[in-house]
Amino acid sequence: MNKGYLCIVLHSHLPFVRHPEHEDFLEEDWLYEAITETYTPLIHMFEGLDRDGVDFRLTMSLTPTLISMLSDSLLQDRYLKHINRLIELAHKEVERTRWQPEFQSLATMYLNTFCNSRDTFNRYGKNLVNAFKRFQDLGKLEIITCGATHGYFPLMEPCRESVRAQIKVAVAHYENALGRRPNGIWLPECGFMPGHDEILKEAGIKYFFSDAHGVLHGSPRPKYGVFAPVYCKSGIACFARDLESSKQVWSSIEGYPGDYDYREFYRDIGFDLEHDYIKPYIHPDGIRINTGIKYYRITGSDDKKPYNPLAAREKAAQHAGNFMFNREKQVEYLYDFMQKKPMIVSPYDAELYGHWWYEGPMWLDFLIRKIHFDQKTIKMTTPTEYLMENPRNQVVTPSMSSWGWKGYSEMWLQGSNDWVYRHLHAASNRMTELAKEYSSSNPNGTLRRSLNQALRELLLAQSSDWAFILGTGTHTSYAINRTKEHLLRFNTLYEQIKSSCIDEAYLADIEYKDNIFPAIDYRVHQ
């Protein structure tokens, strides 16, 4: 009999980046890189586990913006163009490195990886949401939703109508894409504000996650700390992050991804090779970019050594065994102390696996197989399964928290990004005004399209990614442009609606560019 549970959560999110007005757009590469390096490797892992009869449970968020991009025909065709170009480059690399066997074997590895990624992409009809849905339908994967555009809820507190719209749009979009309603939600940036659970309840959500201090600072104090979920007074369950297991992967100093045998992320042939050779495979403006072909391991010094896939694979297996051993000991101790089976919740950004940490999917595959075959202490589970087996839990009101820098809102509210909120709040108030004014008249045609597009533009402006980027100081011009662009489009539509003078050509243009959430209903913003 198992003595405790392990719930691994992968948060999969990218901001909505789609620019049909440009033939090539640098930031669209974020999606293409994630497809090749994270999503298809995870799908290959799921397929392998299923083929080998390994019973597993994972929880994974697919944010509405990510689902929208994976389902978009323009981006699907552009991904095929992108991966075909990489396959061509990999063929050239196999030839270029013919006198360097330590690099040629790696070039061949990348060629096979890119071809497998393209085959998988085509096998699921160019829409990888179909692949994740397949494993949800098999009962192995629990897919949860997120805020519609990943708006950071605690800083929307003055405009709860926007929190409600972010949640309701997300739930409707999930249902349309996956054929069922979501049980759980990953709150954007894990940001919780007391009272928002009531809005989750309205939308039919049954649970969410918070960082550890969100529950530990709750009222009353949680009897079992972060090792059992709590119920808010609304009846919505809250699962808290376990810091010990998170640290083993997340820590930049002690975490597994920094091991010297693993692949070095920052040495890419897009930057290393001569410009004339690599020019056809970087940005048309000549900007050097990552290609995904990287020949070195971390090594631990500036004198980088060639990457050795076999040594890295061996290390991933060792690290998976170490992680499982630590969870077994953690569970055994907690079981004796609590006299109850503890729940270990270990959430990570999905894009860490494969994109940033190349061996991440391999590590996860080893971990799941070891848990299945090599021990009986831990049982992998999902929040829904846990709550079915353990329906009685303490009632606690979690405190405001996030999983960002310092644990609260500092990352999204600092000198470099604080200017956005007065504009976002003003736009939210204007959207509420429009929704109420036209809530009962049920307008049709151009007016309805304008109201719906106004809500799309507001939601896109609210994405936490823009404030985050401004906070980190990278790609800031793009984040500033996106924030201003969506607010400008929203305010233009607002003025046109209020003056009963809608420019249909303008409306059609921004509907074409910002085509997210085709079934959106502006009346949810109330």
Side-chain angles (χ1 to χ4, degrees), residues 187 190 192 197 200 206-212 214-216 225-226 228-232 235-241 345 383 387 393-394 396-399 401:
L187 297 174
C190 212
F192 174 72
D197 50 292
L200 298 178
K206 296 182 174 60
Y207 67 84
F208 65 94
F209 297 90
S210 83
D211 207 329
V215 167
L216 293 177
V226 300
V230 297
Y231 287 125
C232 302
I236 306 301
C238 172
F239 290 81
R241 175 162 73 147
V345 177
L387 290 174
N393 293 288
Q394 187 181 359
V396 171
T397 300
S399 69
S401 62

PDB file of all heavy atoms in Angstrom, residues 187 190 192 197 200 206-212 214-216 225-226 228-232 235-241 345 383 387 393-394 396-399 401:
ATOM      1  N   LEU A 187      -3.752  29.337 -11.841  1.00  0.00           N
ATOM      2  CA  LEU A 187      -3.920  30.788 -11.816  1.00  0.00           C
ATOM      3  C   LEU A 187      -2.661  31.431 -12.413  1.00  0.00           C
ATOM      4  O   LEU A 187      -1.548  31.035 -12.060  1.00  0.00           O
ATOM      5  CB  LEU A 187      -4.126  31.276 -10.378  1.00  0.00           C
ATOM      6  CG  LEU A 187      -5.387  30.764  -9.676  1.00  0.00           C
ATOM      7  CD1 LEU A 187      -5.392  31.198  -8.212  1.00  0.00           C
ATOM      8  CD2 LEU A 187      -6.644  31.259 -10.385  1.00  0.00           C
ATOM      9  N   CYS A 190       0.536  31.773 -10.716  1.00  0.00           N
ATOM     10  CA  CYS A 190       0.148  31.185  -9.435  1.00  0.00           C
ATOM     11  C   CYS A 190      -0.347  32.285  -8.490  1.00  0.00           C
ATOM     12  O   CYS A 190      -0.212  32.173  -7.267  1.00  0.00           O
ATOM     13  CB  CYS A 190       1.343  30.432  -8.823  1.00  0.00           C
ATOM     14  SG  CYS A 190       0.897  28.998  -7.855  1.00  0.00           S
ATOM     15  N   PHE A 192      -2.843  34.331  -6.425  1.00  0.00           N
ATOM     16  CA  PHE A 192      -4.169  34.181  -5.795  1.00  0.00           C
ATOM     17  C   PHE A 192      -4.488  35.389  -4.926  1.00  0.00           C
ATOM     18  O   PHE A 192      -3.621  35.921  -4.223  1.00  0.00           O
ATOM     19  CB  PHE A 192      -4.206  32.922  -4.924  1.00  0.00           C
ATOM     20  CG  PHE A 192      -5.481  32.784  -4.144  1.00  0.00           C
ATOM     21  CD1 PHE A 192      -6.660  32.445  -4.789  1.00  0.00           C
ATOM     22  CD2 PHE A 192      -5.505  33.010  -2.762  1.00  0.00           C
ATOM     23  CE1 PHE A 192      -7.858  32.335  -4.075  1.00  0.00           C
ATOM     24  CE2 PHE A 192      -6.698  32.891  -2.045  1.00  0.00           C
ATOM     25  CZ  PHE A 192      -7.874  32.558  -2.705  1.00  0.00           C
ATOM     26  N   ASP A 197     -11.697  32.882  -5.386  1.00  0.00           N
ATOM     27  CA  ASP A 197     -12.223  31.517  -5.428  1.00  0.00           C
ATOM     28  C   ASP A 197     -13.729  31.522  -5.685  1.00  0.00           C
ATOM     29  O   ASP A 197     -14.268  30.586  -6.279  1.00  0.00           O
ATOM     30  CB  ASP A 197     -11.900  30.769  -4.130  1.00  0.00           C
ATOM     31  CG  ASP A 197     -12.287  31.561  -2.890  1.00  0.00           C
ATOM     32  OD1 ASP A 197     -11.645  32.598  -2.640  1.00  0.00           O
ATOM     33  OD2 ASP A 197     -13.235  31.138  -2.195  1.00  0.00           O
ATOM     34  N   LEU A 200     -14.102  31.560  -9.315  1.00  0.00           N
ATOM     35  CA  LEU A 200     -13.811  30.228  -9.849  1.00  0.00           C
ATOM     36  C   LEU A 200     -15.023  29.315  -9.685  1.00  0.00           C
ATOM     37  O   LEU A 200     -15.361  28.534 -10.580  1.00  0.00           O
ATOM     38  CB  LEU A 200     -12.600  29.621  -9.126  1.00  0.00           C
ATOM     39  CG  LEU A 200     -11.260  30.354  -9.261  1.00  0.00           C
ATOM     40  CD1 LEU A 200     -10.182  29.640  -8.440  1.00  0.00           C
ATOM     41  CD2 LEU A 200     -10.829  30.439 -10.713  1.00  0.00           C
ATOM     42  N   LYS A 206     -13.101  23.477  -9.816  1.00  0.00           N
ATOM     43  CA  LYS A 206     -13.134  22.767  -8.531  1.00  0.00           C
ATOM     44  C   LYS A 206     -11.864  22.955  -7.709  1.00  0.00           C
ATOM     45  O   LYS A 206     -11.865  22.764  -6.494  1.00  0.00           O
ATOM     46  CB  LYS A 206     -13.384  21.272  -8.762  1.00  0.00           C
ATOM     47  CG  LYS A 206     -14.762  20.979  -9.379  1.00  0.00           C
ATOM     48  CD  LYS A 206     -14.970  19.496  -9.548  1.00  0.00           C
ATOM     49  CE  LYS A 206     -16.389  19.186 -10.018  1.00  0.00           C
ATOM     50  NZ  LYS A 206     -16.715  19.815 -11.300  1.00  0.00           N
ATOM     51  N   TYR A 207     -10.734  23.296  -8.353  1.00  0.00           N
ATOM     52  CA  TYR A 207      -9.495  23.465  -7.577  1.00  0.00           C
ATOM     53  C   TYR A 207      -8.517  24.389  -8.300  1.00  0.00           C
ATOM     54  O   TYR A 207      -8.623  24.621  -9.510  1.00  0.00           O
ATOM     55  CB  TYR A 207      -8.839  22.122  -7.282  1.00  0.00           C
ATOM     56  CG  TYR A 207      -8.297  21.401  -8.505  1.00  0.00           C
ATOM     57  CD1 TYR A 207      -7.036  21.692  -9.014  1.00  0.00           C
ATOM     58  CD2 TYR A 207      -9.058  20.425  -9.149  1.00  0.00           C
ATOM     59  CE1 TYR A 207      -6.538  21.051 -10.123  1.00  0.00           C
ATOM     60  CE2 TYR A 207      -8.568  19.773 -10.261  1.00  0.00           C
ATOM     61  CZ  TYR A 207      -7.308  20.092 -10.744  1.00  0.00           C
ATOM     62  OH  TYR A 207      -6.830  19.444 -11.852  1.00  0.00           O
ATOM     63  N   PHE A 208      -7.575  24.907  -7.541  1.00  0.00           N
ATOM     64  CA  PHE A 208      -6.482  25.717  -8.097  1.00  0.00           C
ATOM     65  C   PHE A 208      -5.230  25.431  -7.283  1.00  0.00           C
ATOM     66  O   PHE A 208      -5.263  24.669  -6.300  1.00  0.00           O
ATOM     67  CB  PHE A 208      -6.835  27.213  -8.050  1.00  0.00           C
ATOM     68  CG  PHE A 208      -6.973  27.796  -6.676  1.00  0.00           C
ATOM     69  CD1 PHE A 208      -5.900  28.434  -6.052  1.00  0.00           C
ATOM     70  CD2 PHE A 208      -8.182  27.701  -5.976  1.00  0.00           C
ATOM     71  CE1 PHE A 208      -6.027  28.970  -4.773  1.00  0.00           C
ATOM     72  CE2 PHE A 208      -8.320  28.239  -4.697  1.00  0.00           C
ATOM     73  CZ  PHE A 208      -7.238  28.871  -4.094  1.00  0.00           C
ATOM     74  N   PHE A 209      -4.120  26.029  -7.690  1.00  0.00           N
ATOM     75  CA  PHE A 209      -2.845  25.849  -6.986  1.00  0.00           C
ATOM     76  C   PHE A 209      -2.368  27.198  -6.439  1.00  0.00           C
ATOM     77  O   PHE A 209      -2.675  28.246  -7.002  1.00  0.00           O
ATOM     78  CB  PHE A 209      -1.767  25.303  -7.942  1.00  0.00           C
ATOM     79  CG  PHE A 209      -2.089  23.948  -8.498  1.00  0.00           C
ATOM     80  CD1 PHE A 209      -2.804  23.823  -9.684  1.00  0.00           C
ATOM     81  CD2 PHE A 209      -1.695  22.799  -7.837  1.00  0.00           C
ATOM     82  CE1 PHE A 209      -3.117  22.578 -10.202  1.00  0.00           C
ATOM     83  CE2 PHE A 209      -1.989  21.537  -8.348  1.00  0.00           C
ATOM     84  CZ  PHE A 209      -2.706  21.433  -9.534  1.00  0.00           C
ATOM     85  N   SER A 210      -1.617  27.135  -5.340  1.00  0.00           N
ATOM     86  CA  SER A 210      -0.971  28.352  -4.844  1.00  0.00           C
ATOM     87  C   SER A 210       0.464  27.999  -4.462  1.00  0.00           C
ATOM     88  O   SER A 210       0.816  26.821  -4.351  1.00  0.00           O
ATOM     89  CB  SER A 210      -1.710  28.935  -3.628  1.00  0.00           C
ATOM     90  OG  SER A 210      -1.302  28.270  -2.444  1.00  0.00           O
ATOM     91  N   ASP A 211       1.274  29.037  -4.271  1.00  0.00           N
ATOM     92  CA  ASP A 211       2.606  28.747  -3.751  1.00  0.00           C
ATOM     93  C   ASP A 211       2.476  28.365  -2.284  1.00  0.00           C
ATOM     94  O   ASP A 211       1.434  28.578  -1.651  1.00  0.00           O
ATOM     95  CB  ASP A 211       3.526  29.956  -3.932  1.00  0.00           C
ATOM     96  CG  ASP A 211       4.987  29.516  -4.031  1.00  0.00           C
ATOM     97  OD1 ASP A 211       5.340  28.491  -3.412  1.00  0.00           O
ATOM     98  OD2 ASP A 211       5.771  30.175  -4.719  1.00  0.00           O
ATOM     99  N   ALA A 212       3.565  27.826  -1.727  1.00  0.00           N
ATOM    100  CA  ALA A 212       3.502  27.267  -0.364  1.00  0.00           C
ATOM    101  C   ALA A 212       3.022  28.303   0.651  1.00  0.00           C
ATOM    102  O   ALA A 212       2.148  28.021   1.489  1.00  0.00           O
ATOM    103  CB  ALA A 212       4.883  26.739   0.026  1.00  0.00           C
ATOM    104  N   GLY A 214       1.144  30.781   0.345  1.00  0.00           N
ATOM    105  CA  GLY A 214      -0.267  31.130   0.221  1.00  0.00           C
ATOM    106  C   GLY A 214      -1.129  30.337   1.189  1.00  0.00           C
ATOM    107  O   GLY A 214      -2.070  30.865   1.794  1.00  0.00           O
ATOM    108  N   VAL A 215      -0.791  29.044   1.361  1.00  0.00           N
ATOM    109  CA  VAL A 215      -1.531  28.187   2.305  1.00  0.00           C
ATOM    110  C   VAL A 215      -0.955  28.299   3.718  1.00  0.00           C
ATOM    111  O   VAL A 215      -1.701  28.379   4.710  1.00  0.00           O
ATOM    112  CB  VAL A 215      -1.532  26.724   1.813  1.00  0.00           C
ATOM    113  CG1 VAL A 215      -2.002  25.778   2.902  1.00  0.00           C
ATOM    114  CG2 VAL A 215      -2.435  26.593   0.584  1.00  0.00           C
ATOM    115  N   LEU A 216       0.378  28.326   3.819  1.00  0.00           N
ATOM    116  CA  LEU A 216       0.997  28.387   5.156  1.00  0.00           C
ATOM    117  C   LEU A 216       0.606  29.662   5.904  1.00  0.00           C
ATOM    118  O   LEU A 216       0.530  29.677   7.128  1.00  0.00           O
ATOM    119  CB  LEU A 216       2.527  28.300   5.029  1.00  0.00           C
ATOM    120  CG  LEU A 216       3.072  26.964   4.516  1.00  0.00           C
ATOM    121  CD1 LEU A 216       4.579  27.034   4.363  1.00  0.00           C
ATOM    122  CD2 LEU A 216       2.683  25.814   5.440  1.00  0.00           C
ATOM    123  N   GLY A 225       0.039  21.628   6.865  1.00  0.00           N
ATOM    124  CA  GLY A 225       0.947  22.443   6.056  1.00  0.00           C
ATOM    125  C   GLY A 225       0.565  22.397   4.589  1.00  0.00           C
ATOM    126  O   GLY A 225      -0.608  22.572   4.236  1.00  0.00           O
ATOM    127  N   VAL A 226       1.581  22.146   3.731  1.00  0.00           N
ATOM    128  CA  VAL A 226       1.306  22.104   2.289  1.00  0.00           C
ATOM    129  C   VAL A 226       1.073  20.671   1.811  1.00  0.00           C
ATOM    130  O   VAL A 226       0.960  20.439   0.605  1.00  0.00           O
ATOM    131  CB  VAL A 226       2.479  22.721   1.489  1.00  0.00           C
ATOM    132  CG1 VAL A 226       2.696  24.158   1.886  1.00  0.00           C
ATOM    133  CG2 VAL A 226       3.767  21.902   1.675  1.00  0.00           C
ATOM    134  N   ALA A 228      -1.457  18.593   2.314  1.00  0.00           N
ATOM    135  CA  ALA A 228      -2.841  18.204   2.041  1.00  0.00           C
ATOM    136  C   ALA A 228      -3.539  19.442   1.503  1.00  0.00           C
ATOM    137  O   ALA A 228      -3.238  20.558   1.927  1.00  0.00           O
ATOM    138  CB  ALA A 228      -3.535  17.714   3.313  1.00  0.00           C
ATOM    139  N   PRO A 229      -4.449  19.278   0.560  1.00  0.00           N
ATOM    140  CA  PRO A 229      -5.165  20.456   0.067  1.00  0.00           C
ATOM    141  C   PRO A 229      -6.083  21.026   1.141  1.00  0.00           C
ATOM    142  O   PRO A 229      -6.390  20.338   2.133  1.00  0.00           O
ATOM    143  CB  PRO A 229      -5.963  19.906  -1.110  1.00  0.00           C
ATOM    144  CG  PRO A 229      -6.138  18.457  -0.800  1.00  0.00           C
ATOM    145  CD  PRO A 229      -4.903  18.045  -0.065  1.00  0.00           C
ATOM    146  N   VAL A 230      -6.473  22.250   0.969  1.00  0.00           N
ATOM    147  CA  VAL A 230      -7.469  22.858   1.859  1.00  0.00           C
ATOM    148  C   VAL A 230      -8.644  23.314   1.001  1.00  0.00           C
ATOM    149  O   VAL A 230      -8.507  23.501  -0.210  1.00  0.00           O
ATOM    150  CB  VAL A 230      -6.876  24.062   2.628  1.00  0.00           C
ATOM    151  CG1 VAL A 230      -5.739  23.606   3.534  1.00  0.00           C
ATOM    152  CG2 VAL A 230      -6.403  25.156   1.675  1.00  0.00           C
ATOM    153  N   TYR A 231      -9.773  23.459   1.654  1.00  0.00           N
ATOM    154  CA  TYR A 231     -10.937  24.030   0.970  1.00  0.00           C
ATOM    155  C   TYR A 231     -11.096  25.489   1.369  1.00  0.00           C
ATOM    156  O   TYR A 231     -11.014  25.827   2.559  1.00  0.00           O
ATOM    157  CB  TYR A 231     -12.216  23.292   1.350  1.00  0.00           C
ATOM    158  CG  TYR A 231     -12.365  21.918   0.745  1.00  0.00           C
ATOM    159  CD1 TYR A 231     -12.590  20.810   1.549  1.00  0.00           C
ATOM    160  CD2 TYR A 231     -12.301  21.736  -0.640  1.00  0.00           C
ATOM    161  CE1 TYR A 231     -12.744  19.541   1.002  1.00  0.00           C
ATOM    162  CE2 TYR A 231     -12.451  20.470  -1.200  1.00  0.00           C
ATOM    163  CZ  TYR A 231     -12.669  19.378  -0.373  1.00  0.00           C
ATOM    164  OH  TYR A 231     -12.821  18.130  -0.918  1.00  0.00           O
ATOM    165  N   CYS A 232     -11.308  26.342   0.374  1.00  0.00           N
ATOM    166  CA  CYS A 232     -11.733  27.705   0.693  1.00  0.00           C
ATOM    167  C   CYS A 232     -13.178  27.643   1.206  1.00  0.00           C
ATOM    168  O   CYS A 232     -13.860  26.629   1.046  1.00  0.00           O
ATOM    169  CB  CYS A 232     -11.668  28.592  -0.554  1.00  0.00           C
ATOM    170  SG  CYS A 232     -10.041  28.685  -1.317  1.00  0.00           S
ATOM    171  N   GLY A 235     -15.727  26.337  -1.024  1.00  0.00           N
ATOM    172  CA  GLY A 235     -15.732  24.920  -1.371  1.00  0.00           C
ATOM    173  C   GLY A 235     -14.718  24.558  -2.454  1.00  0.00           C
ATOM    174  O   GLY A 235     -14.585  23.390  -2.815  1.00  0.00           O
ATOM    175  N   ILE A 236     -13.992  25.563  -2.970  1.00  0.00           N
ATOM    176  CA  ILE A 236     -12.964  25.311  -3.988  1.00  0.00           C
ATOM    177  C   ILE A 236     -11.689  24.846  -3.286  1.00  0.00           C
ATOM    178  O   ILE A 236     -11.261  25.455  -2.303  1.00  0.00           O
ATOM    179  CB  ILE A 236     -12.680  26.584  -4.812  1.00  0.00           C
ATOM    180  CG1 ILE A 236     -13.982  27.138  -5.384  1.00  0.00           C
ATOM    181  CG2 ILE A 236     -11.671  26.286  -5.915  1.00  0.00           C
ATOM    182  CD1 ILE A 236     -14.725  26.183  -6.263  1.00  0.00           C
ATOM    183  N   ALA A 237     -11.088  23.773  -3.796  1.00  0.00           N
ATOM    184  CA  ALA A 237      -9.878  23.227  -3.175  1.00  0.00           C
ATOM    185  C   ALA A 237      -8.638  23.973  -3.649  1.00  0.00           C
ATOM    186  O   ALA A 237      -8.569  24.426  -4.806  1.00  0.00           O
ATOM    187  CB  ALA A 237      -9.733  21.745  -3.506  1.00  0.00           C
ATOM    188  N   CYS A 238      -7.672  24.090  -2.747  1.00  0.00           N
ATOM    189  CA  CYS A 238      -6.405  24.739  -3.055  1.00  0.00           C
ATOM    190  C   CYS A 238      -5.266  23.777  -2.729  1.00  0.00           C
ATOM    191  O   CYS A 238      -5.156  23.291  -1.600  1.00  0.00           O
ATOM    192  CB  CYS A 238      -6.257  26.032  -2.240  1.00  0.00           C
ATOM    193  SG  CYS A 238      -4.630  26.798  -2.375  1.00  0.00           S
ATOM    194  N   PHE A 239      -4.410  23.507  -3.716  1.00  0.00           N
ATOM    195  CA  PHE A 239      -3.233  22.651  -3.535  1.00  0.00           C
ATOM    196  C   PHE A 239      -1.996  23.547  -3.513  1.00  0.00           C
ATOM    197  O   PHE A 239      -1.804  24.370  -4.406  1.00  0.00           O
ATOM    198  CB  PHE A 239      -3.110  21.649  -4.686  1.00  0.00           C
ATOM    199  CG  PHE A 239      -4.171  20.586  -4.691  1.00  0.00           C
ATOM    200  CD1 PHE A 239      -5.438  20.845  -5.223  1.00  0.00           C
ATOM    201  CD2 PHE A 239      -3.918  19.324  -4.164  1.00  0.00           C
ATOM    202  CE1 PHE A 239      -6.415  19.865  -5.240  1.00  0.00           C
ATOM    203  CE2 PHE A 239      -4.887  18.330  -4.181  1.00  0.00           C
ATOM    204  CZ  PHE A 239      -6.146  18.594  -4.714  1.00  0.00           C
ATOM    205  N   ALA A 240      -1.140  23.356  -2.512  1.00  0.00           N
ATOM    206  CA  ALA A 240       0.030  24.220  -2.367  1.00  0.00           C
ATOM    207  C   ALA A 240       1.298  23.533  -2.859  1.00  0.00           C
ATOM    208  O   ALA A 240       1.447  22.309  -2.742  1.00  0.00           O
ATOM    209  CB  ALA A 240       0.204  24.635  -0.905  1.00  0.00           C
ATOM    210  N   ARG A 241       2.200  24.327  -3.361  1.00  0.00           N
ATOM    211  CA  ARG A 241       3.478  23.819  -3.894  1.00  0.00           C
ATOM    212  C   ARG A 241       4.380  23.334  -2.764  1.00  0.00           C
ATOM    213  O   ARG A 241       4.531  24.005  -1.736  1.00  0.00           O
ATOM    214  CB  ARG A 241       4.179  24.930  -4.673  1.00  0.00           C
ATOM    215  CG  ARG A 241       5.562  24.517  -5.162  1.00  0.00           C
ATOM    216  CD  ARG A 241       6.096  25.390  -6.256  1.00  0.00           C
ATOM    217  NE  ARG A 241       6.521  26.692  -5.844  1.00  0.00           N
ATOM    218  CZ  ARG A 241       7.535  27.361  -6.408  1.00  0.00           C
ATOM    219  NH1 ARG A 241       8.186  26.815  -7.423  1.00  0.00           N
ATOM    220  NH2 ARG A 241       7.862  28.565  -6.004  1.00  0.00           N
ATOM    221  N   VAL A 345       3.012  18.184  -4.059  1.00  0.00           N
ATOM    222  CA  VAL A 345       2.673  18.875  -5.306  1.00  0.00           C
ATOM    223  C   VAL A 345       3.934  19.540  -5.853  1.00  0.00           C
ATOM    224  O   VAL A 345       4.521  20.403  -5.206  1.00  0.00           O
ATOM    225  CB  VAL A 345       1.569  19.930  -5.076  1.00  0.00           C
ATOM    226  CG1 VAL A 345       1.284  20.684  -6.372  1.00  0.00           C
ATOM    227  CG2 VAL A 345       0.301  19.263  -4.559  1.00  0.00           C
ATOM    228  N   PRO A 383      -5.023  16.072  -9.021  1.00  0.00           N
ATOM    229  CA  PRO A 383      -5.886  16.660  -7.991  1.00  0.00           C
ATOM    230  C   PRO A 383      -7.303  16.076  -7.979  1.00  0.00           C
ATOM    231  O   PRO A 383      -7.875  15.852  -6.909  1.00  0.00           O
ATOM    232  CB  PRO A 383      -5.889  18.147  -8.349  1.00  0.00           C
ATOM    233  CG  PRO A 383      -4.568  18.356  -9.000  1.00  0.00           C
ATOM    234  CD  PRO A 383      -4.331  17.107  -9.804  1.00  0.00           C
ATOM    235  N   LEU A 387      -8.892  14.203  -4.707  1.00  0.00           N
ATOM    236  CA  LEU A 387     -10.095  14.690  -4.014  1.00  0.00           C
ATOM    237  C   LEU A 387     -11.193  13.628  -3.980  1.00  0.00           C
ATOM    238  O   LEU A 387     -11.983  13.574  -3.041  1.00  0.00           O
ATOM    239  CB  LEU A 387     -10.602  15.965  -4.686  1.00  0.00           C
ATOM    240  CG  LEU A 387      -9.720  17.208  -4.495  1.00  0.00           C
ATOM    241  CD1 LEU A 387     -10.232  18.372  -5.332  1.00  0.00           C
ATOM    242  CD2 LEU A 387      -9.634  17.609  -3.014  1.00  0.00           C
ATOM    243  N   ASN A 393     -11.316  17.639   3.861  1.00  0.00           N
ATOM    244  CA  ASN A 393     -10.114  18.458   4.047  1.00  0.00           C
ATOM    245  C   ASN A 393     -10.463  19.698   4.858  1.00  0.00           C
ATOM    246  O   ASN A 393     -11.621  20.134   4.904  1.00  0.00           O
ATOM    247  CB  ASN A 393      -9.542  18.848   2.679  1.00  0.00           C
ATOM    248  CG  ASN A 393      -9.006  17.645   1.916  1.00  0.00           C
ATOM    249  OD1 ASN A 393      -7.976  17.082   2.256  1.00  0.00           O
ATOM    250  ND2 ASN A 393      -9.731  17.232   0.888  1.00  0.00           N
ATOM    251  N   GLN A 394      -9.439  20.273   5.468  1.00  0.00           N
ATOM    252  CA  GLN A 394      -9.623  21.447   6.327  1.00  0.00           C
ATOM    253  C   GLN A 394     -10.087  22.660   5.505  1.00  0.00           C
ATOM    254  O   GLN A 394      -9.705  22.823   4.346  1.00  0.00           O
ATOM    255  CB  GLN A 394      -8.288  21.776   7.009  1.00  0.00           C
ATOM    256  CG  GLN A 394      -8.371  22.868   8.057  1.00  0.00           C
ATOM    257  CD  GLN A 394      -7.013  23.176   8.673  1.00  0.00           C
ATOM    258  OE1 GLN A 394      -6.017  22.547   8.320  1.00  0.00           O
ATOM    259  NE2 GLN A 394      -6.988  24.119   9.577  1.00  0.00           N
ATOM    260  N   VAL A 396      -9.688  26.496   4.973  1.00  0.00           N
ATOM    261  CA  VAL A 396      -8.699  27.552   5.229  1.00  0.00           C
ATOM    262  C   VAL A 396      -8.872  28.629   4.160  1.00  0.00           C
ATOM    263  O   VAL A 396      -9.144  28.320   3.000  1.00  0.00           O
ATOM    264  CB  VAL A 396      -7.255  26.984   5.162  1.00  0.00           C
ATOM    265  CG1 VAL A 396      -6.224  28.102   5.204  1.00  0.00           C
ATOM    266  CG2 VAL A 396      -7.004  25.985   6.285  1.00  0.00           C
ATOM    267  N   THR A 397      -8.697  29.880   4.525  1.00  0.00           N
ATOM    268  CA  THR A 397      -8.649  30.944   3.520  1.00  0.00           C
ATOM    269  C   THR A 397      -7.193  31.250   3.217  1.00  0.00           C
ATOM    270  O   THR A 397      -6.480  31.810   4.059  1.00  0.00           O
ATOM    271  CB  THR A 397      -9.338  32.226   4.039  1.00  0.00           C
ATOM    272  OG1 THR A 397     -10.707  31.914   4.339  1.00  0.00           O
ATOM    273  CG2 THR A 397      -9.276  33.325   2.997  1.00  0.00           C
ATOM    274  N   PRO A 398      -6.690  30.835   2.020  1.00  0.00           N
ATOM    275  CA  PRO A 398      -5.288  31.123   1.693  1.00  0.00           C
ATOM    276  C   PRO A 398      -5.063  32.636   1.605  1.00  0.00           C
ATOM    277  O   PRO A 398      -5.987  33.410   1.342  1.00  0.00           O
ATOM    278  CB  PRO A 398      -5.100  30.453   0.329  1.00  0.00           C
ATOM    279  CG  PRO A 398      -6.227  29.486   0.202  1.00  0.00           C
ATOM    280  CD  PRO A 398      -7.368  30.092   0.948  1.00  0.00           C
ATOM    281  N   SER A 399      -3.814  33.036   1.810  1.00  0.00           N
ATOM    282  CA  SER A 399      -3.485  34.461   1.714  1.00  0.00           C
ATOM    283  C   SER A 399      -3.119  34.811   0.279  1.00  0.00           C
ATOM    284  O   SER A 399      -2.888  33.945  -0.560  1.00  0.00           O
ATOM    285  CB  SER A 399      -2.318  34.792   2.636  1.00  0.00           C
ATOM    286  OG  SER A 399      -1.137  34.199   2.146  1.00  0.00           O
ATOM    287  N   SER A 401      -0.847  35.606  -2.717  1.00  0.00           N
ATOM    288  CA  SER A 401       0.495  35.097  -2.986  1.00  0.00           C
ATOM    289  C   SER A 401       0.667  34.904  -4.480  1.00  0.00           C
ATOM    290  O   SER A 401      -0.295  34.934  -5.241  1.00  0.00           O
ATOM    291  CB  SER A 401       0.728  33.756  -2.269  1.00  0.00           C
ATOM    292  OG  SER A 401      -0.185  32.789  -2.753  1.00  0.00           O
TER     293      SER A 401
END
